[in-house]
Amino acid sequence: MLLSPRYRFLFVHIAKTGGTSVRAALQGLRWRDPWYYPMFLCSRMSHLSGHRIGTKLPRHAKAVLAQELLPRPFYDSLFKFAFVRNPWDLQVSSFHHIRRERPHYLGGHQEFADFLRWKLDPERPYQYHVDTSITRQSDYLVDLHGEVIVDFIGRYEQLHDDFATVCARIGITQPALPHARKATDRKRDYRSYYDDDTAELVARHFARDIKLLDYRFDPD
């Protein structure tokens, strides 16, 4: 999550949706923000700014946390945005990320289908680094009543165009959007990783995302 009091925005960073690139592109704005130094120095004393510095907002915090932590008029005044991704594609991306950077979290499952079944098994013991991609994307976007509380939901599938919309809304010249953490070990088409059973497994687990965000396994 990235908060800018000067530019009046709150970026809700959902893992594996291009958020690292968005964060990197916007990071330079922090140095122009007069609140940056209080945010850095007062990480445990946020009350000094009337709780406007958001120093207790984790990198992948949900929007509802910011809504509850920040004063409501201040939260409401922010342009709040996030990026989302096709759930089937996101699971493939997450698998390759874990296999590349944290292979010990694979639980001994080297193939995507086996790993997916193991990961989505409700009886499996919880592990944070595996379960970040189990969390529904919609959970990051809604309040305690299930109502969407962000102003703009961009899509990974049209990241550059939607990032341009974000920059226009916050009133900045669009910075370069780096392609961070590019995977080189995956097939291009996520659909090739699935059979009918594993595709349905994702459809059931992420049904709320698929409905809210209007995704399909085969967008064609």
Side-chain angles (χ1 to χ4, degrees):
M1 187 169 281
L2 187 63
L3 170 66
S4 175
R6 176 179 178 180
Y7 293 94
R8 291 294 202 188
F9 72 78
L10 179 72
F11 169 47
V12 180
H13 185 176
I14 303 172
K16 310 309 298 176
T17 63
T20 300
S21 296
V22 171
R23 189 182 186 92
L26 296 176
Q27 197 78 5
L29 298 179
R30 300 178 69 188
W31 301 104
R32 308 177 205 169
D33 196 324
W35 279 102
Y36 171 76
Y37 299 100
M39 290 172 74
F40 176 75
L41 295 173
C42 303
S43 61
R44 295 192 179 275
M45 296 182 292
S46 62
H47 64 279
L48 294 179
S49 68
H51 299 292
R52 287 177 171 80
I53 60 176
T55 54
K56 295 181 182 178
L57 299 175
R59 183 183 184 92
H60 295 299
K62 299 177 176 66
V64 68
L65 177 63
Q67 185 187 58
E68 295 296 316
L69 179 64
L70 299 171
R72 184 56 61 87
F74 180 65
Y75 177 86
D76 290 343
S77 74
L78 299 170
F79 171 60
K80 301 165 287 290
F81 67 95
F83 284 85
V84 297
R85 186 173 188 170
N86 183 301
W88 291 276
D89 187 28
L90 188 149
Q91 293 307 311
V92 173
S93 177
S94 175
F95 168 70
H96 281 284
H97 172 78
I98 293 171
R99 191 169 72 172
R100 184 175 61 252
E101 299 191 17
R102 298 185 178 95
H104 51 291
Y105 286 113
L106 289 174
H109 304 278
Q110 298 298 319
E111 299 300 321
F112 173 74
D114 293 338
F115 176 68
L116 184 68
R117 293 188 184 95
W118 173 74
K119 184 174 73 168
L120 297 183
D121 182 353
E123 302 300 321
R124 181 184 58 80
Y126 178 82
Q127 296 179 41
Y128 172 77
H129 289 291
V130 176
D131 288 296
T132 50
S133 58
I134 290 179
T135 302
R136 294 166 183 84
Q137 297 175 75
S138 53
D139 290 350
Y140 288 86
L141 309 173
V142 300
D143 63 13
L144 298 176
H145 305 288
E147 299 295 325
V148 174
I149 55 172
V150 297
D151 303 304
F152 179 76
I153 301 173
R155 293 180 181 267
Y156 175 85
E157 295 78 17
Q158 53 192 47
L159 183 62
H160 285 81
D161 289 345
D162 285 350
F163 182 62
T165 298
V166 166
C167 293
R169 288 286 298 272
I170 63 179
I172 64 169
T173 301
Q174 182 178 353
L177 191 62
H179 196 154
R181 298 183 177 180
K182 183 177 180 180
T184 58
D185 54 348
R186 63 163 287 181
K187 301 172 188 174
R188 193 170 189 85
D189 189 341
Y190 65 83
R191 292 170 294 186
S192 65
Y193 287 80
Y194 290 91
D195 56 25
D196 290 345
D197 290 340
T198 51
E200 179 59 27
L201 182 62
V202 171
R204 289 198 305 270
H205 188 88
F206 298 100
R208 207 160 62 210
D209 287 355
I210 292 165
K211 180 179 180 181
L212 177 67
L213 305 173
D214 193 27
Y215 275 113
R216 296 171 179 81
F217 177 72
D218 188 347
D220 299 328

